[in-house]
Structure formats: structure tokens, C-alpha cells
Amino acid sequence: MPDFSLTTDADGVATLTWDVAGKSMNVMSAEGFSLLDTLIGQALADPAVKGIILTSAKKDFSGGMDLNIIARMKDGGAQGIFDGLMRIHGILRRIERAGMDPGTLRGGKPIVAALPGTALGIGLELPLACHRIIAADNPKARIGLPEITVGIFPGAGGTTRLVRKLGALAAAPFLLEGRQSDPRAAKAAGLIDEVVAPEALLSRARDWVLAATDADLVKPWDAKGYRMPGGTPYHPAGVMTFVGASAMVLGKTMGVYPAAKALLCAVYEGALVPFDTALRIEARWFTNVLLNPSSGAMIRSLFINKEALEKGAARPAQPDQSVRRLGVIGAGMMGAGIAYVAANAGIDVVLIDATQAAADRGRAHSEDLLDKGIRRGKVTPDRKAMVLGRITATTDHAALSDCDLVIEAVFEDPKVKAAVTARAGAAVGPDCILATNTSTLPVSGLAQASQRPEQFIGIHFFSPVDRMMLVEIIRGKATGERAVAKALDFVRQIRKTPILVNDARFFYANRCIIPYINEGIRMVAEGVRPALIENAARLVGMPLGPLQLVDETSIDLGVKIATATRAAMGDAYADRAVDEVLFAMADQGRLGKKANAGFYAYDAAGKREGLWPGLATRYPVTDPQPDLTEVQHRLLFAQVLEAVRALQDGVLTDIREGDVGAILGWGFAPWSGGPFSWLDITGAARAVEICDALAARHGPRFAAPALLRDLAAKGDTFYGRFAPAVRAA
Ligand code: NAD
């Protein structure tokens, strides 16, 4: 079955229907592009055809480009990429000119895009080359250009066309942030031309084709006297836009995302020249981005591997374990969040706490979030009632009897958790899976309190639950395959991304975050200027510096974790210098953001005012200060070496999970594709060299793990050796 088919009706309206066989969503392949070009050529040449409707036989129009095309384009090097892009520009430009006379701009055939649903990436760039875009009024449809979120930018003319259509300022949220809109919002923003009732989509498109005149076919940028909305860079208004945009992009990306910078260059330079030259410029900058290892690493982690994990790459072969009724014990911050995301996904929830008031407070959290959704126009009152109706807040454990999954999120105390687990185990049926949301306690130990350890597992959420997309699933020593499948199926139901790790101190994410925070605090103790520490982290792409991060998560939590780790590790504990600072902060009541006082100072309303000046009194800054790269290396290696050790120790069994988990779990420099991708970009040999130098200056915590040394010795990379999966090992 070919991807596109062409039919023509008695009135001469041709319909070009996109329907990729065997896929629920149309994606554009190289073959698809060639066929589209051929069929458009045929229709334009056929005297019986008056105009063309481009549509989809599926409920959506298209999810975008098959990213494998991009991988194949890369094989041809810079010239191959550029030539490939210019071929695509040629095809879309032929659609746009639609056979019209280049001199008079007359005699073309109207081509209208009729979008039944979602149209993303090339799925919008193609319509942008048509003469009109009509979308079905389908609130679930998403329309936009999300390329920037995976480290590229719209390179099939979308950048050049959208800027010329809307102006640089109005196009910015779509191009620079990858904003996706429903059809009505897309129409309001000028992204598309018309929204009609779904059943009227094709008839309206047909009417438009039959009524279109020559003037309807000429794009503004092809017409004489075209001026870019908002002005070009040398226009008095345009100059403000472009200067402002550069500053904003640099402020947001810290210059580490090559795609954002290249996009701006393409827009700026493209705005100064005629349309066809602008397309060539767009192609050159796109080539530049594709040749940067960041784009490949981002596509691999944030698109290909993230999707593979969501589809169950780690799932054992087990019958469907979708959750029908969920029990949540502990209706505090985490439990209330878990109840909300489950109810929102259509799952009935029993939410239990020690008192009815506490359970009700937990349910009220969902009400608050739904009300916020209503205020933003994202949730209807009916939906709110339906979601809230799924949550039963109670103290009665008997209500757990028909739950098939129960997650406890009570206090982080092994005795409390053991009692809760034993009580829950007695209340549920024999097939129910019990899970713990512990962030620090060994899952295998907690499993001992359950009557059926093979049915016990860790499901570790991140805070705030409704916003954080990662869920870490922890397999205890006795955890059985059905429990793993249950946890993975649950995470799929609530549309989050799972990683599956083995049980060890702090599992994976916290294991890497804690050394990052500790390295930052250690540098404060050494007299490194706190602003240097924080800025070094931001400038390498971390969303929060280590000191801001510990303020956000709270300093007393840090003290608790340090105390417990110290007790467990005894003489092997190596973070005493960190504790000195942490404990002193806690003693002064500087517990972080929640106390309005921490490493940062806050105003009465809780707004961060800057680093706390008192730090400098207690920890005078030394002279000279280390250079930026040294500080960045310390902060990055503290994390990535822990990730390598987690792989070496078998806590991680799949580097894809290590990379995706790091970006979604704690925001590890997304431009790099994750810790393993970052090490591959750096090169194992260079990484070992840096480790040796850091270890000599700062201690054995920076010693290169044996695995990294081995890769360096053999000239290997992590992805070369471990992709696509090492789960079998
Ligand atoms: P919290 O203090 O906000 O909530 C705990 C709730 O458990 C309280 O409402 C309490 O009344 C209830 N509770 C205590 N004993 C109970 C019992 N015997 N029966 C029923 N309810 C009981 O705590 P939280 O921040 O939601 O953390 C809960 C768990 O999640 C902990 O294990 C924590 O380590 C883990 N966790 C927390 C975070 C975080 O960022 N806060 C992140 C990941 C995991």
C-alpha cells in the first residue's frame, strides 16, 4: 500500500489522501516524499483536475517526519544533508507555485490542506506550503512545530514560511518553544486559516478549491511589495524584535542548545533576502545543527528511546496488567499527587490516610488542580466532576479489597512503612500488587513486611507528581515479573515515562542527584564563590544550580538523608565536609525555600532574591577562584560517574533508561542527550583524562570507573557497546 493515493471526482477536484499502511499516525518517509511529488505533478499536469485537496484517511493528519530519514541524510555528510533538504524545499515549492506562470503568477491550481486532527512538524510544514489550511474542529488535535524540543528546528521550510506569515515575534513561541495548539487556538494565532465542523471538512475544502481565484494562490511573500509582519532586522520595529529575541534565547538556553541559536540565525539572515534564498539559508543552518552531536543525542534520548521505554521496551512478557482500581495509602504531598494522575487517567482510586481529614485534604489536592485547569480553559466542570468522582477518600482499609494495585506513600520511616504494608497486605485480594513510593529505603527490605514479596515493587514518583514525567520502577530481590508488568502498565496508563532499575541505595536518579548537590555544597565549604557554582551549572545546561536545587528540595531532607547514609556506611562515608555546611544551615533554621531562607535569600512572598550574603561570612571566598571549566567538570562528573557506576553495578541495565531518566528525572543537561550520551560526545579517553586530573586535585570520588577506562582503552563508546539494550546481560 503506497503512502498517498489520488482520486479525482467528476467536478475535477482531486483528493490526495495520506494513509501510511500499518501505522496509526502518518509519518513522512523519503519514499512518501517522492510519491507525493509524483502525484502532485500528475494532478497539476492533468487538464481534468481543477484543484487538489490534501488530506488524511486517519483521524490525524501527521505526527511529523520519520526521524530515520534524518539519520540517513546524515550518512551523506554535510553535502548529503544539504542536498536532501533542497530536494524537500523543491517539492514543497512546487506545491506552493502549483503550476502557475512564474512571471504573471497566474494559471496555478489551488491546493488546500484539510486536517482532520493533529498536524505536527512536517505535518504542518507541508500544509504551510499549500494555499489554504482548513482544520476540523477537534479539540484533541495538536497543531505545531515541536522540532526544537528534540534538538532540531523546522527545516522543511516551516521556519522561513511561518516567520514570513506571522512575523518573527508571533512565530517565536511556535518555533522557539515548540508550542502546540488546538485548531481554534491555531486559527487565532494565524497558524491555520479556517476551522470547521469535522463532518464538513472535506466539503468545505472542496468548495474552497472550486471557488479559488488566481489571487488566492499567491503567497504574500511571492507577491510584489511583500513586507514581513513586524519588520525585518533593519526595520525600526524589527530591530527591537531581533535584539530582544537573541537576548531571550540566550537567557533561556545559556547558549548550550545549538538548534535555538541556528534557528535564530536562519530567521535573521533569511529575513534579509528573497524567499528562495532564505530557504537555502534555512537548509544550511539545518545542516549545521544536524552535524552537531547534540541534535543526534537529543533525538535519540528525547524521541526514539523515550518512546521505546513508554511502549514497554523493558516489559516482561505477561498478560495485560492495566490497573482498574488503585489504592493509595498516605494522602500527603506524594500520595495526593499519585491519586490525581491516576484518576485523571480514568482509574478508580481509594485514597487512605490515618484520619478522614487528612484523606479529604489529599482529595482536595485534585480539586485544586482541576480548578486550576478550569481557570485555564483546559478542564470542563463535567470533567472535574468525573475525575473527582473516581477518588474515594477514606480511613477504611476494607475499601482496598478490590484494588489490583496499592501504592503506599506514608512517612519515610521503615517501621511505619512495614506496619502499613502488612496491614494493606491483609486487606487486599491474593492477586493485588503492593508498591512503595519510598525514595531512599531499600525495596527488598520493605518487601519483607509484605506477605508476598514477589508481588512487591518500588514505584518511585518525583515531585510534583502531576508535572514530573519520570517514574522509576525498582525491582526488589524477590520482585516477580507480574509485579514489574503491573508497574509498567500503570505508568503507561498515566502517560509517564518509566525506567526499570534494580534495588540499591538511592536507586538511580537520587543516586546521581545527591553527588551533584553535594559537590556544589563542598565547593561552598572550600571557598568557591557560590555565584560561580550556580552559574557554572546553568551555563552547562543544568536547569537549577546545586544550591538552588537543595533549597527547593529542602535542607532538612538533605540532613535526614545524610544522617541515614552516614549511619549505614560508617567509615566509608566521605561527605563530612558537605554535612558541616548542611547541618550548620539547618541549625540556623535556613531550611530552604519552604523556610524562606536557605543558600538563597527570599523575600516575604517567597521570591528568590539572590544568594544569601551570610554564606560569604562563614565560608570566605578564596583567591584565586577555580576557572569555570573546572567547576563545570566537578559538577558534571559528580553525576555522570555515578551513572556509570550504576551501570557497572547492574542497578541500571539499559543505558537508554540512564539517559532518558536523567533528563526527565533531574533535568540533566538535555542538550547532551543524558550522561552516557554526554560521555560519548566527550569521548571516553578524554573523560578518563579529566577524571584523573580531578581525582588528583579533589579526591578518589572522581576516579574513573573500570568500565569507563575499558571503553577508553578499546576506543569504544557507551552506545557502541551497549545500545540498543543490555537488559539480557
Ligand atoms: P507527607 O508527609 O506529605 O505525607 C505522608 C502522609 O502519610 C501523611 O498525610 C500522613 O498522615 C500519612 N500517613 C502516615 N502514616 C500513615 C499510616 N499509618 N496510615 C495512613 N497514612 C499515614 O510525605 P510525602 O512527601 O508525600 O512522602 C511520602 C513518601 O513518598 C515518602 O516515602 C517519601 O520518601 C516519598 N517520596 C517523597 C518525595 C518528595 O519529594 N516529597 C519524592 C519521592 C518520594
Side-chain angles (χ1 to χ4, degrees):
M1 279 289 289
D3 289 1
F4 289 91
S5 57
L6 182 69
T7 54
T8 305
D9 70 12
D11 292 328
V13 177
T15 303
L16 188 49
T17 307
W18 198 355
D19 192 4
V20 178
K23 292 210 154 129
S24 58
M25 178 72 94
N26 290 324
V27 289
M28 186 65 91
S29 63
E31 297 72 27
F33 251 130
S34 303
L35 180 60
L36 172 71
D37 191 30
T38 307
L39 294 178
I40 290 269
Q42 267 174 27
L44 291 177
D46 182 348
V49 170
K50 293 204 181 80
I52 305 167
I53 300 172
L54 176 59
T55 191
S56 155
K58 302 190 193 292
K59 69 180 179 22
D60 292 309
F61 185 65
S62 166
M65 189 79 99
D66 176 350
L67 288 172
N68 294 316
I69 289 198
I70 292 180
R72 247 186 282 160
M73 274 161 75
K74 263 181 151 172
D75 295 342
Q79 193 64 49
I81 298 171
F82 180 77
D83 292 345
L85 290 166
M86 289 312 293
R87 262 196 303 280
I88 293 174
H89 283 329
I91 295 171
L92 297 192
R93 199 66 174 125
R94 273 194 289 285
I95 291 176
E96 192 158 58
R97 303 307 285 259
M100 64 180 72
D101 180 289
T104 61
L105 301 181
R106 299 175 79 89
K109 293 183 183 179
I111 305 182
V112 54
L115 314 178
T118 290
L120 296 173
I122 189 71
L124 179 59
E125 293 184 285
L126 176 55
L128 283 170
C130 297
H131 305 116
R132 192 163 185 86
I133 308 175
I134 305 177
D137 191 5
N138 168 358
K140 289 208 170 120
R142 290 168 297 127
I143 297 182
L145 299 166
E147 285 86 343
I148 198 80
T149 59
V150 291
I152 52 179
F153 68 82
T159 297
T160 302
R161 285 195 175 84
L162 202 64
V163 167
R164 276 173 158 70
K165 191 173 163 113
L166 304 182
L169 195 62
F174 299 102
L175 295 174
L176 281 168
E177 293 163 24
R179 180 190 290 172
Q180 300 177 17
S181 311
D182 62 31
R184 288 184 191 205
K187 157 92 174 62
L191 217 53
I192 61 173
D193 303 304
E194 229 180 294
V195 180
V196 298
E199 58 281 6
L201 180 67
L202 289 180
S203 61
R204 172 64 198 132
R206 202 170 167 281
D207 291 348
W208 186 83
V209 162
L210 290 172
T213 63
D214 278 337
D216 291 327
L217 272 55
V218 180
K219 288 293 173 66
W221 44 90
D222 282 330
K224 255 211 167 87
Y226 166 74
R227 279 168 188 249
M228 199 162 116
T232 53
Y234 292 141
H235 181 277
V239 74
M240 300 306 290
T241 304
F242 280 90
V243 169
S246 295
M248 187 195 81
V249 167
L250 207 59
K252 276 199 179 164
T253 64
M254 295 290 160
V256 290
Y257 290 88
K261 212 165 156 187
L263 168 70
L264 263 190
C265 294
V267 170
Y268 181 95
E269 293 167 18
L272 300 171
V273 294
F275 185 78
D276 288 297
T277 313
L279 289 180
R280 289 180 73 80
I281 290 174
E282 187 192 290
R284 287 171 65 155
W285 278 111
F286 194 85
T287 305
N288 176 293
V289 166
L290 271 202
L291 290 175
N292 188 310
S294 163
S295 66
M298 280 183 80
I299 291 174
R300 184 173 61 200
S301 290
L302 291 172
F303 191 82
I304 298 171
N305 289 343
K306 178 171 167 292
E307 201 172 270
L309 299 181
E310 284 161 3
K311 284 193 173 153
R315 192 183 186 281
Q318 285 281 324
D320 179 27
Q321 296 293 327
S322 298
V323 176
R324 295 179 316 278
R325 195 171 162 84
L326 173 74
V328 178
I329 308 179
M333 186 166 87
M334 298 305 287
I338 297 167
Y340 168 73
V341 294
N344 215 13
I347 301 171
D348 285 328
V349 182
V350 176
L351 180 59
I352 291 189
D353 207 297
T355 64
Q356 186 62 41
D360 289 340
R361 262 198 310 279
R363 187 171 178 273
H365 174 68
S366 289
E367 192 161 7
D368 288 348
L369 290 174
L370 290 161
D371 283 339
K372 212 184 265 174
I374 291 179
R375 284 197 296 278
R376 292 199 187 134
K378 301 269 177 215
V379 176
T380 61
D382 281 356
R383 170 140 186 104
K384 172 184 161 183
M386 188 169 69
V387 173
L388 272 184
R390 292 190 187 119
I391 304 177
T392 309
T394 179
T395 56
D396 181 9
H397 282 62
L400 295 174
S401 64
D402 50 357
C403 289
D404 50 323
L405 173 68
V406 173
I407 304 175
E408 71 75 14
V410 298
F411 302 135
E412 188 77 341
D413 174 327
K415 286 201 199 78
V416 175
K417 287 202 186 285
V420 163
T421 303
R423 192 168 173 202
V428 299
D431 292 334
C432 180
I433 301 293
L434 292 187
T436 173
N437 181 47
T438 181
S439 33
T440 56
L441 302 168
V443 168
S444 306
L446 295 175
Q448 285 167 8
S450 103
Q451 292 84 338
R452 295 176 284 269
E454 74 284 359
Q455 285 171 224
F456 191 88
I457 193 162
I459 304 184
H460 178 213
F461 284 85
F462 294 78
S463 172
V465 178
D466 58 305
R467 292 221 304 274
M468 295 296 286
M469 293 316 291
L470 185 71
V471 179
E472 197 173 23
I473 296 173
I474 300 113
R475 193 204 296 259
K477 284 200 182 71
T479 302
E481 300 289 65
R482 195 171 67 80
V484 171
K486 187 97 200 167
L488 286 166
D489 288 357
F490 173 57
V491 173
R492 199 195 56 236
Q493 279 174 286
I494 58 173
R495 293 166 170 269
K496 295 199 184 281
T497 309
I499 61 170
L500 175 60
V501 302
N502 287 316
D503 194 15
R505 178 173 298 283
F506 303 140
F507 319 129
Y508 174 60
N510 284 341
R511 174 181 181 148
C512 299
I513 301 168
I514 293 169
Y516 169 62
I517 291 177
N518 284 356
E519 201 59 33
I521 297 177
R522 196 188 304 269
M523 284 193 257
V524 171
E526 288 171 13
V528 178
R529 204 179 290 280
L532 174 57
I533 301 168
E534 295 292 89
N535 287 333
R538 302 281 319 281
L539 283 168
V540 84
M542 295 298 296
L544 302 184
L547 305 178
Q548 189 185 345
L549 185 56
V550 69
D551 264 13
E552 301 272 337
T553 52
S554 98
I555 286 168
D556 47 332
L557 180 66
V559 166
K560 250 192 218 159
I561 292 175
T563 310
T565 315
R566 219 162 157 160
M569 292 182 69
D571 289 345
Y573 188 73
D575 287 326
R576 287 173 209 280
V578 175
D579 292 356
E580 198 275 323
V581 182
L582 211 51
F583 287 41
M585 296 289 284
D587 285 347
Q588 296 168 73
R590 299 198 71 86
L591 300 182
K593 188 168 183 209
K594 66 176 183 190
N596 254 5
F599 285 95
Y600 282 81
Y602 300 82
D603 69 13
K607 193 167 168 288
R608 245 172 350 110
E609 286 186 316
L611 283 150
W612 176 47
L615 278 179
T617 322
R618 194 176 169 103
Y619 308 101
V621 296
T622 53
D623 186 28
Q625 287 284 294
D627 71 19
L628 180 70
T629 310
E630 170 88 358
V631 176
Q632 288 179 327
H633 280 162
R634 287 179 69 173
L635 293 173
L636 281 176
F637 276 88
Q639 302 169 72
V640 301
L641 293 183
E642 211 48 58
V644 174
R645 285 183 210 113
L647 179 68
Q648 198 174 264
D649 300 350
V651 173
L652 274 180
T653 56
D654 186 332
I655 54 171
R656 296 179 299 179
E657 293 178 319
D659 273 353
V660 174
I663 298 177
L664 299 189
W666 74 95
F668 180 90
W671 64 266
S672 70
F676 296 103
S677 294
W678 185 78
L679 282 166
D680 279 354
I681 291 173
T682 306
R686 173 76 185 121
V688 166
E689 242 174 64
I690 301 171
C691 287
D692 288 345
L694 288 176
R697 283 197 291 278
H698 305 291
R701 66 185 179 284
F702 288 112
L707 174 58
L708 186 62
R709 281 197 191 281
D710 188 56
L711 289 179
K714 302 202 168 92
D716 257 354
T717 60
F718 282 98
Y719 276 85
R721 188 179 292 188
F722 296 110
V726 288
R727 190 166 297 288

